[in-house]
Structures are given as structure tokens and as C-alpha cells.
Amino acid sequence: MNLVFLLLLSLCLGCASCIYNPANTPPPLPCCPVVPQPVRLALVLGGGGAKGLAHVGVLEELEEAGIPIDLIVGCSSGSIVGALYADSVSCEALKETMLGLQSRFLIDLDLWHARYGLCQGRTLRKFLERKLNAGTFGELKLPFYLVATDLCSSELVVIGGGPLIPAIEASCALPFIFIPVELHGRMLVDGGVIDPVPVRVAQLFDPGLIIAVDLRSLLPLEIPKNLFGIAARSAEITLLWQSEGCIKDADIVIRPELMDVGTFENDCNEMIYQAGKKAARAWIPHIQELLNQSVKESPADQHQREG
């Protein structure tokens, strides 16, 4: 027993020395492309694993209704969908990429090298390399930001400049499942650890309207039966409790009905996509009304209303 304890202690100390060095101050993050002003509509895509396919349906409904998006902010799976859409600004291309997606295209279990996580992230990286044309945030066709969590400082890290793929990997690095990502002098994990629906980031750009897509749902009644399932459910519980505080300042919150969909679900892509479409469709008239009001309202009227 003592030998096992010493081995575990040695492993933990090794992790700590690699990841946490309080003497090092992280360098500044890369400069971000200028976001054209004014930002009329900012879309915030929350995390949720396989449920992220609902974002595709939401984007398609907005596109079909002719509702322009000036800025996208993503977390975890929302960062994947957000980046892919900002890369092409085409829901047709996004659907083609995402609707056939399986967890095996993103997850590469490697128990032999599982010191920091069960997956090394190679499969996710290859997927992103195949599907993205842009190599940096500045090459995207639409302003896009994502969030990750700094393991050392415990801060929410907002990334909108520099190389795109490693930033998405960091935003998706769900602890225990994926290894942390070393980027910009920081050790980063999933942004959902702090802020699964980063409305606060969208607020920095003073948009006229913030739409948040919250993938939180009731947890399945079935209890997990293995290590992987327990880790996934733990992440879902974290998302469930954190989301409410994160979305309170959004103007509109779209919540697709996804009650029984797990984080790594493989067989419900069409259903998840359709749930996103249905939830967004119900909000389209109200979104259009709010956008029309913002166009008609003069700066003086807006100042008087806010006062």
C-alpha cells in the first residue's frame, strides 16, 4: 500500500511541476483582429459535447431568416462549430461536415500515455486540419473568439488571435478526457470549467443583441456504468449548474430540448440538429423584432431609455 501511495504521490508531483510554475508569468496573448463596429448581433455557442450539433440547426435557422451575425463566441464544442462556420459562413458546408460526425473522429483513447488525459488530441487535430481552411483567427471570414481555462492562474482565457487549431483544442480539452494544451505560455483546458456559455465575452464588444445557445438539459436517469461514463456525467453536472449564471445577461437564450443525449453520443446527430432548428425557429420572430427596433431607435432615444 505504501508503495502504491508513493507512486501516486510521485505522479501527482510530476504533474504539478510540469503544469504549475508560479514563478512564470504567462506572456501576453496574441493580438486579435479588429471587430467591425457596431456589433448588432453576437451569437454565443455553449459547450456540451455531442449536443454541439444543435448549434448547426440554430445557425441554419438564423441564416435562412436572413439574420446577420456580426460576432461568434464559442466554448468547447461551441468553439468547433463556431470556428467551422466562421471559416466558411455557410451552413451547407457546416452540415456536410458535422451531421456525419462520430466521437471516434474526435477521440483517440491512449491508455499507455494517459498521464494527463485519456486522449492525446491527435484525432481532433487531424479532423480540424482537414476541415478548416483558415490557419489563424485573422483568416476567418467572421469575427470569432473562444474561451479556455488556465490551469495555473484559474482564469478564463479569451482567445481571438494567433493559430486557430490549437486554440480550439484548448477550448475542448475536457479534463480527464483530453490532455491539457500548452499554448501562449499557458496550460489550458476546456473553457467550460469556468464559463460554458461565455456571454460575458460577447458583452465586451457592446453588441446590440446577444443570443446565447445553452445546451444544458436534464440529466439522463440512467446511472453511468464505467469510468468513461462517470467522467462524462461529471462534466454534464458541471455544465448544468454553471450555465444558469453564465447566461443571465443574454438578451435571448435558445435551449434545444436534448434530455437524453450524452456528452459522447453517436446515434442522435439528426435529432440533435433538428432540436436546434426547432428551438431557434421559435425565437426568429422575436429576434427580428428586436433587430428592427435597434435599427429604428436613434442614439438619443437609446440613451434616454438606458437612463
Side-chain angles (χ1 to χ4, degrees):
M1 179 64 71
N2 288 338
L3 178 60
V4 172
F5 174 77
L6 288 173
L7 287 172
L8 289 174
L9 180 61
S10 174
L11 178 61
C12 291
L13 290 175
C15 293
S17 64
C18 176
I19 293 176
Y20 180 63
N21 186 349
N24 291 335
T25 301
L29 294 169
C31 293
C32 303
V34 175
V35 176
Q37 294 293 325
V39 176
R40 290 184 60 199
L41 189 153
L43 180 65
V44 182
L45 304 179
K51 299 174 187 176
L53 280 163
H55 294 318
V56 181
V58 172
L59 282 161
E60 186 172 46
E61 287 295 319
L62 294 175
E63 186 177 280
E64 290 179 354
I67 295 173
I69 300 169
D70 298 312
L71 171 71
I72 296 179
V73 180
C75 174
S76 198
S77 60
S79 74
I80 295 177
V81 176
L84 288 169
Y85 184 74
D87 189 45
S88 64
V89 195
S90 166
C91 278
E92 195 61 38
L94 185 62
K95 281 171 59 179
E96 184 178 345
T97 296
M98 297 298 294
L99 286 186
L101 193 63
Q102 300 286 308
S103 61
R104 60 187 173 87
F105 298 153
L106 306 177
I107 294 175
D108 54 335
L109 290 177
D110 186 354
L111 299 180
W112 291 106
H113 301 91
R115 185 177 185 183
Y116 301 123
L118 295 177
C119 301
Q120 301 298 302
R122 291 184 293 267
T123 304
L124 173 59
R125 189 177 313 119
K126 289 177 181 177
F127 168 79
L128 294 172
E129 288 171 348
R130 288 196 309 270
K131 301 301 181 179
L132 284 167
N133 293 313
T136 67
F137 283 82
E139 294 171 358
L140 294 170
K141 298 177 181 178
L142 189 68
F144 172 66
Y145 283 73
L146 56 76
V147 296
T149 300
D150 189 321
L151 277 180
C152 297
S153 67
S154 71
E155 295 174 319
L156 185 73
V157 179
V158 181
I159 305 176
L164 181 59
I165 289 177
I168 299 172
E169 291 181 90
S171 187
C172 296
L174 185 65
F176 187 80
I177 305 300
F178 288 100
I179 62 170
V181 174
E182 191 172 356
L183 181 65
H184 305 314
R186 304 163 189 263
M187 195 63 70
L188 302 175
V189 294
D190 195 315
V193 171
I194 295 178
D195 196 341
V197 193
V199 170
R200 70 175 96 173
V201 177
Q203 287 181 298
L204 297 174
F205 299 91
D206 193 26
L209 184 66
I210 298 177
I211 300 175
V213 185
D214 180 13
L215 302 181
R216 176 182 52 146
S217 59
L218 297 176
L219 295 176
L221 297 177
E222 184 179 358
I223 300 299
K225 297 181 175 61
N226 54 54
L227 177 68
F228 201 70
I230 290 171
R233 189 175 181 95
S234 298
E236 289 166 351
I237 292 172
T238 299
L239 180 67
L240 182 68
W241 283 98
Q242 283 183 307
S243 295
E244 192 64 36
C246 298
I247 62 175
K248 62 183 179 63
D249 293 320
D251 297 293
I252 289 175
V253 179
I254 298 175
R255 283 197 180 103
E257 295 182 8
L258 302 166
M259 291 184 59
D260 297 324
V261 178
T263 302
F264 301 104
E265 189 70 60
N266 273 323
D267 303 321
C268 302
N269 288 7
E270 181 66 26
M271 183 274 285
I272 297 169
Y273 158 71
Q274 291 295 341
K277 284 180 67 69
K278 180 180 178 182
R281 194 180 305 125
W283 280 103
I284 293 297
H286 187 50
I287 294 170
Q288 291 172 326
E289 180 183 355
L290 290 176
L291 287 174
N292 289 335
Q293 287 176 358
S294 68
V295 170
K296 293 176 182 177
E297 189 177 53
S298 69
D301 292 336
Q302 184 177 7
H303 179 73
Q304 182 177 3
R305 177 174 56 81
E306 292 175 349

